[in-house]
Amino acid sequence: MRFLFGDHVLDTARRELTHGGEQIAVEPQVFDLLAYLLQNRERVVSKDELLASVWGGRIVSDATLDSRIAAARRAVGDTGAAQNLIRTFARKGVRFVGEVQEEGTPAAFAPEMAAGPGRPELALPEKPSIAVLPFANLSGDPEQDYFVDGMVEEIITALSRIRWLFVIARNSSFTYKGQAIDVKRVGRELGVRYVLEGSVRRGGNRVRIAAQLIETETGAHLWADRFDGSLEDVFDLEDKVATSVAGVIEPALQAAETARSARRPTSDLCAYDLYLRAFAMFFTSQRHMRDALALLEEAIRRDPQYAPALGFAAHTCHLVASDASAPDREAIRDKGIEFGRRAVELGGDDPRVLADAAMTLAAFGEDIDAMIILVDRALALNPSYARGWHISGFLRLWAGLTDLAIEHGGMALRLSPSAQAGMTSFLIGAALFFSRRFKEAIPRLRVAIEDEPVFQTPYRFLAACYAHAGRLHEARTTIARLRAITPDVMVNYPLPFRDQQHRELYYSGLRLALGETA
């Protein structure tokens, strides 16, 4: 939903507040407060209602509430003295009193939510929908968190392969990790009808998984069970959980099987542990890419047929090689191509493997149309695979299909509002840049930089974008920030963009930002 008042636009789906087209930085709670006042502008909203809706009923001091209201006023150009838009009614509450128009938001720009109470609600999809929340680690050893989280990731993947089931991706459901869970709120915020929660206890060579399925609208417990076994049987346990949940959600499809039962990831738990540790490290920061790659290479050494590790190692090589100053870039590139080709050979119908390999091979120059067919196959196998849509968006971007890149990036955000939000913002920002929609691209690219400050490519796009928009001071400031990370502004390796006009737009923008003649 978009709310238009004066020169301001508040977009609840994008979680953006703009003034005259320029994005205004707003703290999450201030944004949620402002959105709630706009949604309820026909009446005075009491302090207790604001606390319940924005702070989830937590105890908050009057000073904190007053400071957030003051911040909301500043964000929309109002003051406590004037109160032209946000008016306080003594001993009653607060009301938004300005003239407002509402607009719907196109589906391609799906919500990019931050976790927390009070954020706008998502409509339920037509399909049965589920979020698998972080399982509790009952092993008494914090070092086992990676194993528990990896177990949940595998259950999510198994469920996601059920085509009739809409599954929220891991990184969005994991925004609730460590919180007291209100399943009704989770259902509203993630747009799901069901929640799966549980625990994992690992001791020695034994593991116990306990899980329960809850209907978010009523809070009713629909199903609960536990599964015991040895670590050698861990994949059978995951399949039992996934199949049981599927049967409860839709009895008519009790016979539906999870595709994972036909293909185990590996029987070598040492390689599996290494893969899980690398996966956790990969999504921590760009700084840990080489460490993650080392773990994946060790996993492959122990189990050369382990396709998920091959695919993820290929993808990691792609990101390591994106550092223009890397002295071993060519060696990493060759290694990534080898891993990618082996992953395709061994991956069968695993959507993760196919998508990772497609992105790597396309980035390193192999036939883009063939790689698009590969990622389309991955999405056909698993339509709820958020990273698959994310990768598909990048392949469309590299192929010059900017509208599809934006659409697929939006789909990734809908399936996983929090996962890789910065990278998906970069994807959409780059597509908007190539479409010459510079004003719209700038806030997307800035979000990408804020999310991962050491990732170099968004700086280059943002500098080029500013330059083409005529904002040369901001362009040169962005170049200065890039040079604090790397001395290489103009990269000396082939870009993945197949469209010659797109490459020229990019390079000419960088030349302008550097003060050179275009």
Side-chain angles (χ1 to χ4, degrees), residues 133-155:
L133 297 179
F135 280 24
N137 174 13
L138 302 182
S139 302
D141 179 6
E143 290 296 318
Q144 295 301 319
D145 275 355
Y146 82 94
F147 178 82
V148 176
D149 292 350
M151 180 76 71
V152 174
E153 167 70 18
E154 292 298 315
I155 292 171

Side-chain angles (χ1 to χ4, degrees), residues 357-400:
M359 187 170 195
T360 302
L361 296 174
F364 289 146
E366 299 212 356
D367 184 77
I368 189 74
D369 292 330
M371 296 305 106
I372 286 175
I373 291 172
L374 203 60
V375 79
D376 284 350
R377 178 180 160 203
L379 289 171
L381 289 165
N382 183 356
S384 293
Y385 185 31
R387 277 193 68 230
W389 287 103
H390 172 90
I391 289 170
S392 179
F394 271 102
L395 265 61
R396 264 65 184 195
L397 176 71
W398 298 342

Side-chain angles (χ1 to χ4, degrees), residues 63-143:
T64 297
L65 179 58
D66 291 342
S67 72
R68 297 300 186 271
I69 293 172
R73 285 193 176 112
R74 288 194 299 272
V76 298
D78 199 5
T79 66
Q83 297 194 20
N84 293 320
L85 296 176
I86 300 174
R87 187 169 301 167
T88 298
F89 294 82
R91 295 181 298 278
K92 297 291 184 182
V94 187
R95 182 184 171 197
F96 193 96
V97 296
E99 292 288 332
V100 180
Q101 289 182 303
E102 290 186 15
E103 288 183 357
T105 303
F109 293 100
E112 187 173 348
M113 300 294 187
R119 69 189 186 186
E121 298 179 8
L122 291 179
L124 289 173
E126 292 182 3
K127 294 181 178 182
S129 50
I130 189 170
V132 184
L133 297 179
F135 280 24
N137 174 13
L138 302 182
S139 302
D141 179 6
E143 290 296 318

Side-chain angles (χ1 to χ4, degrees), residues 433-434 460-461 463-465 467-468 489-497 499-518:
F433 169 79
F434 285 139
R460 297 187 179 98
F461 270 87
C465 199
H468 282 303
V489 175
M490 302 289 280
V491 296
N492 59 359
Y493 57 82
L495 294 175
F497 310 109
D499 189 301
Q500 176 61 37
Q501 292 182 342
H502 286 177
R503 292 198 300 273
E504 182 51 37
L505 184 71
Y506 173 77
Y507 281 125
S508 64
L510 278 178
R511 289 193 294 268
L512 283 171
L514 289 166
E516 302 174 7
T517 57

Side-chain angles (χ1 to χ4, degrees), residues 223 227-228 235-245 258:
W223 165 88
F227 305 92
D228 296 303
F235 305 121
D236 285 327
L237 296 179
E238 294 166 0
D239 286 342
K240 289 177 183 176
V241 173
T243 303
S244 297
V245 171
T258 55

Side-chain angles (χ1 to χ4, degrees), residues 27 29-30 33 47 50-51 55 58-74 88 94:
E27 293 180 6
Q29 283 182 339
V30 175
L33 186 150
K47 170 189 170 182
L50 283 175
L51 294 179
W55 280 271
R58 296 197 301 272
I59 297 173
V60 175
S61 69
D62 288 341
T64 297
L65 179 58
D66 291 342
S67 72
R68 297 300 186 271
I69 293 172
R73 285 193 176 112
R74 288 194 299 272
T88 298
V94 187

